[in-house]
Amino acid sequence: MTANTETFETSDTGWLSVIRRYIVYTAVGHLIWEMAHIPLYTIWVEGTWSEIAFAVVHCTGGDLLITMSTLLLALFLVGGHAWPSERAGRVLLLAVALGVSYTIFSEWLNIVIRAAWAYRDIMPVIPFIDAGLTPVLQWLIVPFAAYFGALRRLSKGKGAPGV
């Protein structure tokens, strides 16, 4: 009797390297963004420097959890075995849509319901959804820039990843 072994085909798509670069790039991007827009929150004028530093680190950590969750869910729902060589655009668009949706929900929950944080008067707010403009822009700009940066090495010499 012989053992039945399955052979899995692997393609040289570099998916693990892309995920690693994406996480590192988003970590840097979110950290920079959090430091840049914290003056738009009341903690900037009401908090101590240690509270502000904690808020930046805490929020960046949350951003990373959201980043990893939205990427994993997008890969599960619309990715394929040849990602990122194929379906890279679909994965990015869904991950960004999930990130923006969660951000709008989180801003509403933490400002309106929990009152865990508050905007200063200088925070631009998006009409109708009453979410801060900078958190929403953060979840549009940082993931797009990080994703394209993460895919950059892959596309050199192999052609751009497909949508």
Side-chain angles (χ1 to χ4, degrees):
M1 200 170 204
T2 63
N4 185 10
T5 59
E6 292 184 47
T7 306
F8 293 99
E9 243 183 78
T10 58
S11 60
D12 186 20
T13 59
W15 63 269
L16 186 56
S17 294
V18 171
I19 290 173
R20 286 177 176 156
R21 284 193 303 268
Y22 179 66
I23 291 170
V24 169
Y25 296 163
T26 56
V28 172
H30 285 302
L31 177 62
I32 291 168
W33 198 287
E34 292 295 345
M35 289 188 302
H37 85 158
I38 199 157
L40 301 175
Y41 291 87
T42 57
I43 192 171
W44 185 254
V45 293
E46 296 172 358
T48 64
W49 284 110
S50 61
E51 290 171 333
I52 293 168
F54 177 81
V56 168
V57 171
H58 174 80
C59 291
T60 303
D63 294 335
L64 281 176
L65 291 174
I66 298 164
T67 294
M68 291 185 284
S69 300
T70 57
L71 179 62
L72 183 61
L73 186 56
L75 284 168
F76 179 76
L77 294 174
V78 298
H81 71 282
W83 180 88
S85 296
E86 297 175 8
R87 299 184 181 181
R90 290 179 184 139
V91 170
L92 171 63
L93 291 176
L94 183 55
V96 169
L98 292 168
V100 168
S101 298
Y102 179 79
T103 297
I104 291 169
F105 168 75
S106 178
E107 292 293 306
W108 168 79
L109 180 66
N110 286 293
I111 288 176
V112 176
I113 303 300
R114 292 184 179 159
W117 64 71
Y119 299 143
R120 289 179 61 198
D121 291 341
I122 59 174
M123 169 68 88
V125 175
I126 301 170
F128 304 111
I129 61 172
D130 292 328
L133 179 62
T134 63
V136 173
L137 287 176
Q138 176 180 1
W139 280 93
L140 290 170
I141 295 170
V142 172
F144 270 105
Y147 198 78
F148 285 113
L151 292 175
R152 187 166 177 231
R153 284 191 200 159
L154 178 70
S155 63
K156 287 182 178 180
K158 291 187 181 182
V163 175

